[in-house]
Amino acid sequence: MKITLAHGSGGKQTSDLINEIFAGSYGNEILSEMEDSAVVRACANIAVTTDSFVVKPMFFRGGDIGRLAVCGTVNDLLMRGAEPKYLTSAFIIEEGADSEDLKKIARSMAETAAEAGVIIVAGDTKVIEGKGEIYINTSGIGFVKDKSISSSACKKGDKIILSGNIGDHHSAILSARMNIENNIKSDCAPLNAMVRRLLDENASVHAMRDVTRGGLGTILNELADASGVSIHLNENDIPVSSEVRAFADILGLELMNMGNEGKMVCVVAPDDAERALSLIKASPYGENAQIIGEAAEGSGVLLHTSIGGVRRVPVLVGEGLPRIC
Ligand code: MG
């Protein structure tokens, strides 16, 4: 069935669409109350975040826009040390979209939400004129015990851990867009188990950031700026799969600016770095984690290259790859 403007009218077709596709996929006690707003129980500091997802294509190797819409918001909550609890999901659907695609996306959101231990408690659906594209906004709420994990909390001497190979999501999206055949899969994943393990084991984590749009170079520059330190990286220690490295080489892409959707940087006190690294390596999606450098006096991000040089890593300037998430 093709979605028409009538599905967004607020009448019978809208409620049919909501009941069949959204409530049918990820319904729960709170969502199914269908009130004007959801009421949830809370008893802690609350972390709140929101993100919109416009990725093209909507389905790609390793994931889809639904999985991305849950992971992106869940991971942003986790990066402040929060335990993600509740999500909202708002769909903007262009007329002509296929209801089977919508169903697939809603089911994927349900599976990913279950993996990430969150429930979707509120939603919205709008249908607009267009060419059949689907866009999603998710907002998330999590509970925070300790507010001290922050981008501004990196200290001189801290070790920088990267939780796995960079560039996978970016390469997967670009491959799909350019019809390039390869086996590269998006790394799109919720990082709950990894972060939970670090916090439960009281690892000396000072800051965490998920490495998304803008890539490792941009995220590390933001951390360095916010904390008033420089970050020194060893190029040889940055994990990259051979397939992504070859893909980036052929297309002339800067690995340091390639986006991911299931990787994080974790900044840890030096005397606890090896233990934190083992905790990450033992977690789902963390098996390729590495210590890639450290914070020092100064400013900016400096890459110590494999041939013995040192170069400054800039933040991503300009457009990069649009509609990557
Ligand atoms: Mg983030």
Side-chain angles (χ1 to χ4, degrees):
M1 177 183 78
K2 294 287 176 202
I3 303 295
T4 66
L5 288 177
H7 287 105
S9 64
K12 183 175 178 329
Q13 279 116 317
T14 307
S15 54
D16 287 351
L17 190 73
I18 291 170
N19 287 327
E20 197 196 322
I21 294 184
F22 301 119
S25 297
Y26 48 69
N28 54 67
E29 244 175 42
I30 299 173
L31 185 73
S32 58
E33 286 172 358
M34 296 286 172
E35 298 260 8
D36 278 346
S37 59
V39 176
V40 297
R41 184 180 288 275
C43 52
N45 290 312
I46 288 176
V48 183
T49 190
T50 191
D51 207 343
S52 299
F53 299 87
V54 300
V55 65
K56 191 176 184 174
M58 294 187 286
F59 299 94
F60 45 85
R61 199 189 281 265
D64 56 63
I65 190 171
R67 182 167 173 82
L68 205 58
V70 172
C71 293
T73 293
V74 160
N75 288 343
D76 276 346
L77 291 172
L78 288 166
M79 295 304 108
R80 290 303 307 277
E83 184 182 356
K85 284 285 186 186
Y86 305 110
L87 294 190
T88 67
S89 89
F91 277 73
I92 297 178
I93 306 164
E94 290 183 358
E95 63 177 332
D98 197 309
S99 62
E100 287 307 311
D101 285 347
L102 259 185
K103 241 183 240 173
K104 265 193 249 169
I105 291 166
R107 281 196 206 117
S108 173
M109 288 181 80
E111 280 168 25
T112 313
E115 182 185 355
V118 293
I119 57 173
I120 297 168
V121 295
D124 180 49
T125 310
K126 293 285 183 317
V127 181
I128 59 171
E129 288 136 345
K131 296 177 183 161
E133 306 258 12
I134 296 169
Y135 310 105
I136 306 174
N137 173 277
T138 53
S139 295
I141 290 175
F143 298 161
V144 197
K145 279 202 196 104
D146 174 2
K147 289 191 289 181
S148 65
I149 295 175
S150 153
S151 294
S152 61
C154 309
K155 296 186 176 58
K156 278 185 291 179
D158 281 355
K159 298 290 182 188
I160 315 292
I161 302 173
L162 176 63
S163 69
N165 297 349
I166 54 166
D168 299 30
H169 179 72
H170 197 117
S171 304
I173 297 298
L174 195 50
S175 302
R177 268 211 238 154
M178 296 175 76
N179 281 321
I180 298 173
E181 282 287 325
N182 55 36
N183 294 315
I184 301 171
K185 269 195 203 161
S186 166
D187 55 353
C188 180
L191 299 175
N192 304 63
M194 185 182 288
V195 172
R196 195 72 264 144
R197 191 165 295 191
L198 287 167
L199 299 183
D200 286 351
E201 297 287 334
N202 291 314
S204 302
V205 176
H206 293 161
M208 292 186 282
R209 289 292 303 272
D210 56 341
V211 186
T212 53
R213 208 167 34 161
L216 186 63
T218 301
I219 271 56
L220 290 178
N221 268 288
E222 287 170 4
L223 280 174
D225 277 359
S227 294
V229 294
S230 64
I231 290 178
H232 291 255
L233 301 175
N234 297 313
E235 190 173 35
N236 285 336
D237 295 334
I238 298 174
V240 189
S241 76
S242 51
E243 201 159 18
V244 166
R245 188 183 295 283
F247 182 82
D249 275 354
I250 290 166
L251 293 178
L253 302 169
E254 169 58 84
L255 272 171
M256 298 295 288
N257 288 137
M258 290 173 73
N260 305 265
E261 288 293 341
K263 297 290 150 51
M264 70 167 186
V265 156
C266 180
V267 183
V268 187
D271 54 0
D272 206 19
E274 286 297 336
R275 188 175 70 101
L277 177 65
S278 341
L279 292 169
I280 292 174
K281 274 181 168 293
S283 305
Y285 311 114
E287 65 277 10
N288 296 320
Q290 292 281 357
I291 295 174
I292 58 167
E294 62 182 35
E297 220 159 305
S299 64
V301 177
L302 294 124
L303 183 70
H304 297 252
T305 66
S306 48
I307 52 164
V310 181
R311 72 172 172 93
R312 264 188 192 273
V313 178
V315 295
L316 175 65
V317 180
E319 201 176 49
L321 178 63
R323 296 192 59 182
I324 191 172
C325 53

